[in-house]
Amino acid sequence: MKAIFIAFDQAYYERLVETLPRLGARGFTAWQEVQGRGTVDGVPHYGTHAWPSMASAMMIVVDDDHVARVLDYLHELDVATPKLGMRAFVLPVEQAI
């Protein structure tokens, strides 16, 4: 199993919640308001007057054979709307209860 941590603009939230189950990722944990800035040229998401947008984050755990499908979908979203911003990181899940 793998954990996929996704940091994204809040505008993606509903779309992710609706689509991820169809890709084999039914369960998730989400943080609605997180702050951050992209590593290359991303617009800051600070929730301030100067940088009013906010980000969200989500952690999903999927079987290994679902990882590529989820990442492909996330990449398509990011390419289609590059100014919103999204990052995803895949981590091994050693044990779970």
Side-chain angles (χ1 to χ4, degrees):
M1 289 194 315
K2 303 288 188 217
I4 304 175
F5 177 82
I6 312 163
F8 53 92
D9 187 283
Q10 287 181 327
Y12 287 124
Y13 182 80
E14 287 183 24
R15 194 175 330 174
L16 292 175
V17 170
E18 291 173 6
T19 305
L20 288 174
R22 293 193 298 261
L23 302 175
R26 181 186 178 279
F28 67 91
T29 298
W31 298 266
Q32 289 289 331
E33 292 185 355
V34 298
Q35 297 176 345
R37 179 180 63 207
T39 55
V40 179
D41 61 359
V43 174
H45 289 70
Y46 295 155
T48 65
H49 289 352
W51 301 103
S53 65
M54 287 292 289
S56 291
M58 182 179 288
M59 176 80 74
I60 61 175
V61 177
V62 297
D63 290 327
D64 290 4
D65 58 335
H66 294 302
V67 172
R69 192 174 347 163
V70 170
L71 290 181
D72 287 346
Y73 169 72
L74 296 174
H75 181 70
E76 287 175 16
L77 279 180
D78 190 40
V79 168
T81 53
K83 296 218 183 261
L84 289 180
M86 176 182 293
R87 290 289 182 263
F89 306 92
V90 179
L91 309 159
V93 175
E94 299 294 329
Q95 296 180 355
I97 60 167

